[in-house]
Amino acid sequence: MRHEQREEGGHLTLTTAGSDPTATASINRDSGVDFASAGISGADPLAGAPGGDAFVGVGPVVVGNPHTFGRVLTLVATCYALVESAGSLALLSLPVAERCLSERQLTPGMDTWRAQPLLIPLRMTLRDDEVAALKRHQPLLQEMGIALQAHLHQAILNAVPLPLRQQNLQNLIPDLLGYLQGETSVTHHQVAVWLARRLQHESVVWSHSRAIQLLAEVERLCPQWVKAPPDGLLVTLNFEAAIKALNHD
């Protein structure tokens, strides 16, 4: 199967060859779609195409596979992936996918959550309330791969789970203890959610290849999200209103 693109009035239209000609998706050229980073050759996929048409080669699709979001066609507004699966189109939020994946990786029971020893153990001074929070929740932190030992007010951090390795731990760990200090009972999942929402990622410039890599990791670790995605992750595009407007209904 291949997709045909054509441009009319400043819009880029995707059409599945051999399908109903009304089953198209229109993308405004000014909408923020990054054609170059989407893997479409040339700065403008329509430049030099005969009759204003161009074709985008796409990989094989697994129709009906319950463990895949489908093919990434392009990026929209820099951080959303336009994906196709079983003949339907959807927008997937890459930042939300990254955050949800971090939550999953920080939850005990995943292969990736194991403690990663720090090359240089981090020493820090804790306040009274932080020391109390550490004593109360140290078993939970240990189970999550956060190896923090304290003697009086002096603490040494020896290991953290993989998603935390590139973070500013000098600030993150005291903030975590401050959060735990106000919690009498807390679960691994609650701590994982708290941490994932505070992870500081480098300035992300999303690309077609990076989007594919992220979705492959999500599909591998969280295949159930394909059928039941977390809130804010995926929106299926509905073209009925647009088709009715084109047909003057």
Side-chain angles (χ1 to χ4, degrees), residues 154-176:
Q154 300 303 310
I156 299 179
L157 180 66
N158 293 299
V160 294
L162 183 61
L164 303 186
R165 283 295 298 269
Q166 304 301 319
Q167 302 302 306
N168 184 344
L169 299 173
Q170 191 75 47
N171 293 332
L172 182 62
I173 297 302
D175 288 347
L176 173 60

Side-chain angles (χ1 to χ4, degrees), residues 102-121:
S102 294
E103 291 177 10
R104 189 66 172 159
Q105 291 173 326
L106 287 165
T107 302
M110 297 299 299
D111 292 339
T112 54
W113 78 271
R114 296 189 184 93
Q116 304 286 317
L118 300 178
L119 295 178
I120 301 177

Side-chain angles (χ1 to χ4, degrees), residues 81-95:
L82 179 65
V83 296
E84 181 200 28
S85 178
S88 65
L89 295 174
L91 275 182
L92 186 144
S93 173
L94 297 173

Side-chain angles (χ1 to χ4, degrees), residues 60-93:
V61 65
V62 183
V63 177
N65 189 332
H67 301 311
T68 180
F69 290 103
R71 292 174 294 182
V72 177
L73 299 179
T74 189
L75 301 186
V76 178
T78 71
C79 65
Y80 299 95
L82 179 65
V83 296
E84 181 200 28
S85 178
S88 65
L89 295 174
L91 275 182
L92 186 144
S93 173

Side-chain angles (χ1 to χ4, degrees), residues 9 14 19 29 33 51-52 55 66 72 80 83 106 115 121 127 144 167 176 183 197 203 209 211:
L14 305 179
S19 65
R29 186 175 293 283
V33 177
F55 295 94
V72 177
Y80 299 95
V83 296
L106 287 165
R127 303 192 306 266
M144 296 187 69
Q167 302 302 306
L176 173 60
E183 301 292 331
R197 292 182 178 276
S203 182
S209 59

